[in-house]
Amino acid sequence: AATTGRVDPLAFPDNFLWGAATAAYQIEGAVKEDGRGLTNWDIFSHTPGKVANGDTGDVACDSYHRYQEDIALLKALGVKAYRFSIAWSRIFPDGRGQPNPKGVAYYDRLVDGLLAAGITPHVTLFHWDLPHALPGGWQNRDTAYAFADYASYMTARLSDRVKHIMTVNELRCFTDLSYMTGGKAPGLKLPMKEVNQVRHHGVLAHGLGVQAIRAAAKSGTQVGIADNPNIYVPAIETTDHIEAVKRAVREENAMFLTAIMEGAYRDTYLAAQGKDAPVVKAGDMRAIGSPLDFLSINVYTGNTVRADTAKPGGYDILPRLPQSPRMASPWLYVSPEVIYWGIRAIHEMWKPKAMYISENGCSTDDQLSADGRVYDADRVMYLRNYITHLQRAAREGLPIKGYFVWSLMDNFEWEDGYTKLFGIHHVDFKTQKRTPKLSADWYRELVRTNRLV
Ligand code: GBH
């Protein structure tokens, strides 16, 4: 890769976009306010046994009422950008039909407030909170068309001020984890034929969404996705293992990101699914492969891969050792190198025009100190480690434009409720008081100096 000529291994390029991220259902609360429609997550979180402690997003961080306070938090943090998601059911309470002016007005106020504070909005249109009124949810192909209509409407409303729009967040989570393993709403465990169809409707919604956004956008609007492809670290930094990483990324994401970047399903995927392969209509793959202006990826963890010519794909995904370090969420193995290798493998295979890290962060077992603060040194170490490898990607000239820490503040962590907290600001869920953790102090200094502290 070309180098920027920088020799400082701690500095980031000028104009690197530092940000923080959240999602609607995880922070907004106010689930019955101003005409918001019910979502899959309202139903799921109110179903006994689905979410830890019976927690719900009914109140969450109450950001629907406290968004000005949250903008002030972002401003104090010094970040240049904020990634948030729009609650589809605030705009179209039934998923489609007539827009709800009060819901739209909330996002107008939020966007205007951000811009007034000098903070660039990066908007995700769908971060898992699906209007409950849409029959069959993602099992129904019509949901993809409803999404495109919603995307079109929001783009027409916001694209005079919002220049970065992401269609959906994390394909695998709202398809496989929701309809196959069932840990997330609606909590189904469907047979593979139906799961593959749900996956297809997910990527189709993205593709139709891209087309709808382009048709409705004011000039200068950039379209992307925030996905969480499975990404890997080479066992040794040699050509054979690096090539194996690329093959693994391509195959393991065949039904998601690979289909989007290549406009086709891999033959290997279709063959492996056999009679369970999805039903694909004429024009679907063309929509799914719509060119993007940027690709954002959420990076948390990744396994090591080694070249193995004896395996069908020519790669071997190594299992975790039991003693591998993890953060508070059991799935969150620490693998800082994956942020570099994820960017590099994707760049070498698909050459997206620009890339962002739309999420990176961790849960920790936070202790509240006597002074009311959380000294989350473990989160600082996690972030510093990952961002060191991110810096390598930037230094080598890979097209990485920005980074959003997950999350601005403690929030509703889906099926884990409030038992796993990812914030760099502590939230007291009784008083709703937000307090910077040590990690927020650390991140503020990183952003201020544009250099690893
Ligand atoms: C992101 O998902 C989300 O976008 C965000 O909303 C969330 O709060 C944040 O990360 C932290 O979790 O296979 O059952 O062991 C993270 C994606 C979460 C996907 C955990 C895989 C493994 C669950 N991952 N998940 S399981």
Side-chain angles (χ1 to χ4, degrees), residues 84-154:
F84 63 92
S85 81
I86 293 176
W88 181 348
S89 78
R90 288 196 194 281
I91 310 302
F92 294 103
D94 294 327
R96 53 163 67 93
Q98 288 307 307
N100 167 33
K102 286 185 173 169
V104 178
Y106 170 67
Y107 296 104
D108 272 332
R109 293 195 299 276
L110 177 58
V111 165
D112 291 345
L114 288 166
L115 292 174
I119 298 165
T120 305
H122 278 225
V123 167
T124 313
L125 292 174
F126 176 69
H127 198 125
W128 309 350
D129 44 352
L130 188 70
H132 181 62
L134 291 171
W138 288 111
Q139 289 186 263
N140 188 341
R141 184 179 164 98
D142 291 346
T143 296
Y145 293 94
F147 174 76
D149 291 344
Y150 154 64
S152 170
Y153 178 79
M154 273 336 285

Side-chain angles (χ1 to χ4, degrees), residues 14-67:
D14 298 340
N15 298 322
F16 194 80
L17 196 76
W18 294 107
T22 62
Y25 188 73
Q26 296 181 269
I27 66 160
E28 284 180 359
V31 293
K32 293 191 175 143
E33 219 146 319
D34 290 344
R36 176 188 179 277
L38 272 182
T39 70
N40 57 343
W41 273 95
D42 297 298
I43 305 292
F44 191 74
S45 65
H46 281 271
T47 306
K50 298 297 187 188
V51 174
N53 290 332
D55 290 340
T56 74
D58 287 3
V59 179
C61 309
D62 195 32
S63 288
Y64 190 73
H65 300 115
R66 294 169 195 265
Y67 69 95

Side-chain angles (χ1 to χ4, degrees), residues 206 214 222-227 229 231 246 249 257-258 260-262 289-297 340-357 397-401:
H206 158 80
R214 291 221 188 281
Q222 303 195 14
V223 188
I225 184 174
D227 199 18
I231 49 179
K246 291 183 341 196
V249 170
L257 190 59
T258 305
I260 287 169
M261 301 313 279
E262 303 186 2
S290 299
L292 300 178
D293 300 309
F294 65 95
L295 173 63
S296 297
I297 57 171
Y340 168 80
W341 287 106
I343 295 166
R344 179 160 157 191
I346 287 169
H347 168 73
E348 289 188 7
M349 281 192 295
W350 296 315
K351 299 270 185 306
K353 287 183 207 149
M355 292 184 72
Y356 294 87
I357 301 301
L398 297 174
I400 181 74
K401 306 296 180 198

